[in-house]
Amino acid sequence: MGKKGIFDVVVVGAGPAGAMAAKTAAENGLDVLLIERRTQIGIPVQCAEGTSEEGLRILKDVLGEEIDPHWIAKQIEGVEIITPDRTIVTVEGKGYILERRILDRDLAIRAVRAGAEIVKGKAVGLVRDKEADCMVVNVVSSEQNYFFPAKIVIGADGPESKIGEWAGIDTKLNLSDKIIGKQYLIYSPELEGLDRVRCFLGDRVAPGGGYAWIFPKGKNGTANVGIGMFKNKLKEYGIPVPDYFLDVFIARVFSKYQIIEKTAGKIPGAPPSDTIADNVVLAGDAAGFVNPITGGGLRTGMESGKIAAEVAVAAISKGDTSKQGLADYKRRISLAFGKDNEQLLIMRRFSQTLKDEDYDDLGHFLQGMHLSSETSSVTLIRKLLFSNPGITARFAAFKVKNKL
Ligand SMILES: Cc1cc2nc3c(=O)[nH]c(=O)nc-3n(C[C@H](O)[C@H](O)[C@H](O)COP(=O)(O)OP(=O)(O)OC[C@H]3O[C@@H](n4cnc5c(N)ncnc54)[C@H](O)[C@@H]3O)c2cc1C
C-alpha cells in the first residue's frame, strides 16, 4: 500500500485481463492490489480455449516473453465451418487450444512476482471518498469486511461488470447482445486424430445466429464441445439455458461419447455504455472486449489489461485520474482492436437476422475458395457478406434501418 494508505491501483478480477493489468502496473513501480473471488484462479475454465496463431503472437508480445509450452494443449491445423446443409468451408492455418487453468494461474503469479499484492475475496461495493480523492473498494473475505482505497480501480471482473455499474456506467447488455455459452469436455473415440476446429451454424444447431463448436484438445480423443446462444433467442424458445441445444447437438454428432466436465459462462456480445469513469477503467470482458463474431476474448482481455495499466500509470504521474485524464484509454483500445470490433459488431448483429438458406448460400460461395487464417476476420466476413447480391442488399438496408 502507498504512503498515505492508498493503493495506486486496485484491480478487481484475476482473469487474464486483471492479471495483465496488475503485472503491468506493478512493473511500472505502482502499489497494486489484485482482488479475486475464486478460491482457485482460472478454475472453473469458462472458455473453449481456442486462439489463432496471430492471437498467440499478440499474447507473447503483450506478455513480453516466450509462450510456455504448458499453456498449449494442442496445435490445430485449421477451422471447418459447417452450414445447415452440411457444406464445409475450410479455413487453413495454424491455431492453438490452450490450457487456461495453467495459463490464468501463471499470469496471476507473474503479477505477484512483479510486486502486486493479492487478496482472495469478493468485491461487494465501490464508493468515492471525496475528501481523500480516491475510490474505496469494499471486499468481503471469510465473512470479514475490508476497505481498500485506490487512486484508480481497474474493473476486470467479467461481463456486466459490477465495478463499472458502481462507477455509474450502464453495464447491462441487451438480451440480443448477451451470449450464453455452455460447454462440455467430452471424450469420444471419434475425436481421435481430429486436428481442426469445427463450427456449426444454423437454426437446428443454435437458433438466432449462435453456433456450436468442437475444439479438439490433446491427442487423446478429448474436445471442448460447446454452444453459444443469444439470450433473446433462449427467451423466445422459453428455454432459460442452452443445455438442451447442446445435448441435442452432441447426440447428433457423436455416436459414442462421455462427458467429463461441464462449464458455462456469459460472453459479452457488445461493449457497455462506457469503459472509463472518474478513477475507474474497465478491461477485458468487463469492457465487452471480445471479438463480436467468434466470442474470443483472451487476446483482447490481455491487451486491454496491459493498456489499462499503462494509462493508469500515466494518469497517476500527471496527477489527473479523472475520466478526462483516462481518456487516452479509448484511443489506444481503438487502435489496438476497437475499430475492428466495431465493424465486426455491425456484421454480427446483421448475421443474427440470417436464415439457414443464407448460411448455405454463403457456404456454397466460399467452399471452393482458398481461405487462410491469415485473412483477417473483418476481411473474411466482408467477403462473405458481399458474395451474394441478395445478402449484400439486405446488409445495406440493415445498416440504413439501424443508422449504422
Ligand atoms: C463458453 C465460453 C467459451 C469461450 N471460448 C473462448 C475461446 O475459445 N477463445 C477466447 O479467446 N475466448 C473465449 N471465451 C472468452 C474468454 O474466456 C474471455 O473473454 C476471457 O476469459 C476474458 O478474460 P477477463 O480477464 O476479462 O475475464 P474472466 O476470465 O472472466 O475473469 C474475471 C475474473 O474476475 C473475477 N471476479 C468477478 N467478479 C468479482 C468480484 N466481485 N470480486 C472479485 N473477483 C471477481 C472472476 O472470478 C474471474 O476470475 C469464451 C467464453 C465462454 C463463456
Side-chain angles (χ1 to χ4, degrees), residues 11-19 35-38 40-42 45-51 97-98 100 104 119 121-124 139 156-159 162-163 166 179-183 211 213 215 226-228 263-268 283-287 289-290 294-302 304:
V11 182
V12 178
I35 299 166
E36 172 54 52
R37 69 177 174 194
R38 286 179 175 171
Q40 283 181 283
I41 287 169
V45 174
Q46 292 171 301
C47 184
E49 305 175 284
T51 194
I97 309 300
L98 303 170
R100 284 280 308 263
D104 285 24
V119 160
K122 182 178 178 185
V124 293
V139 174
D157 53 337
K162 283 297 191 189
I163 292 296
W166 296 326
I179 304 160
I180 307 295
K182 177 86 194 183
Q183 179 177 277
Y211 74 94
W213 62 80
F215 282 22
I227 193 164
T263 188
K266 271 192 249 172
I267 303 172
D285 277 15
F289 293 150
V290 303
T294 64
L298 174 65
R299 171 220 142 173
T300 41
M302 288 178 62
S304 61

Side-chain angles (χ1 to χ4, degrees), residues 190-220:
E190 295 147 54
L191 281 164
E192 273 168 40
L194 180 67
D195 62 0
R196 283 192 175 137
V197 158
R198 289 191 174 146
C199 298
F200 297 75
L201 305 173
D203 276 356
R204 269 186 67 197
V205 176
Y211 74 94
W213 62 80
I214 301 175
F215 282 22
K217 202 176 165 184
K219 295 188 190 97
N220 52 4

Side-chain angles (χ1 to χ4, degrees), residues 202-211 227-230 233-234 237 245 356:
D203 276 356
R204 269 186 67 197
V205 176
Y211 74 94
I227 193 164
M229 285 189 65
F230 293 94
K233 274 291 152 189
L234 287 167
Y237 276 73
F245 292 96
D356 280 7

Side-chain angles (χ1 to χ4, degrees), residues 326-340:
L326 298 167
D328 198 36
Y329 184 57
K330 291 188 178 188
R331 186 191 63 80
R332 290 197 50 196
I333 292 292
S334 179
L335 280 177
F337 56 79
K339 269 236 139 17
D340 276 1

Side-chain angles (χ1 to χ4, degrees), residues 19 27 38 46 53 66 75 110 131 135 185 188 209 232 237 271 288 290 303 316 371 383-384 396:
E27 280 169 349
R38 286 179 175 171
Q46 292 171 301
E53 177 139 62
E66 289 305 318
Q75 180 179 312
R110 275 158 180 72
E131 198 144 312
M135 301 301 281
L185 175 71
S188 167
N232 60 329
Y237 276 73
V290 303
E303 254 184 309
I316 289 170
L371 299 171
K383 250 185 208 214
L384 265 169

Side-chain angles (χ1 to χ4, degrees), residues 4 11 17 21 53 66 86-87 100 108 176 190 208 222 286 318 353 361:
K4 293 185 191 158
V11 182
E53 177 139 62
E66 289 305 318
R86 294 177 188 260
T87 301
R100 284 280 308 263
S176 56
E190 295 147 54
T222 55
K318 276 189 289 175
T353 68
D361 280 354

